[in-house]
């Protein structure tokens, strides 16, 4: 009887530790949204997390429709961080060796062009 109880206890402990190892840290979202194609896949009801790398704050954005999702990655759009009290810009780029097309990458950069914020899917 004790052996079965030990096996069950050990199994639950292993499962609990395994799920904790794969859990996202608090306030962190899922995969980063780095391409225009990923923004195009968002639909009404989805949530996006905007993370400021400068002050490590997070803001949840509710997606109302595909138009509002695409507005997030509009080139030149100003993105404001309420904690830093700074404005940043959305910039498009291309992966190494590529030019244009669906592989266009979306980044939010500071005045010197350094990536400073990221969108991720909640």
């Amino acid at each position: 009887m004790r052996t079965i109880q030990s096996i069950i206890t050990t199994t639950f402990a292993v499962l609990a530790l395994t799920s904790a190892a794969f859990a996202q840290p608090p306030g962190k979202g899922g995969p980063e949204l780095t391409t225009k194609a990923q923004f195009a896949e968002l639909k009404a009801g989805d949530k996006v997390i905007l993370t400021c790398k400068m002050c490590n704050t997070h803001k949840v954005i509710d997606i109302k429709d595909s138009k509002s999702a695409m507005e997030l990655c509009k080139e030149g759009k100003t993105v404001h961080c309420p904690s830093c009290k700074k404005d940043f810009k959305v910039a498009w780029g291309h992966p190494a060796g590529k030019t244009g097309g669906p592989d266009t990458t979306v980044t939010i950069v500071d005045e010197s062009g350094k990536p400073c914020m990221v969108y991720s899917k909640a």
Side-chain angles (χ1 to χ4, degrees), residues 6 11-13 18 21-23 35-36 41-42 67 69 85 94 105 109:
S6 295
T11 302
F12 281 118
T18 302
F22 290 107
T35 66
K36 289 170 65 175
E41 292 173 0
L42 295 172
K67 183 179 177 182
K85 310 251 188 282
H94 305 289
T105 59
V109 296

Side-chain angles (χ1 to χ4, degrees), residues 70-78 89-93 106:
M70 293 308 292
E71 184 65 28
L72 293 175
C73 69
K74 185 177 178 183
E75 185 171 26
K77 175 183 172 57
T78 300
K89 295 275 185 198
V90 173
W92 294 344
V106 178

Side-chain angles (χ1 to χ4, degrees), residues 32-65:
E32 281 187 23
L33 299 171
T34 58
T35 66
K36 289 170 65 175
Q38 289 173 316
F39 283 91
E41 292 173 0
L42 295 172
K43 53 189 177 291
D46 285 344
K47 293 186 185 304
V48 171
I49 298 173
L50 176 63
T51 303
C52 179
K53 294 180 178 182
M54 308 300 275
C55 62
N56 200 30
T57 57
H58 311 283
K59 176 183 175 184
V60 177
I61 301 167
D62 293 316
I63 301 299
K64 295 178 183 128
D65 53 27

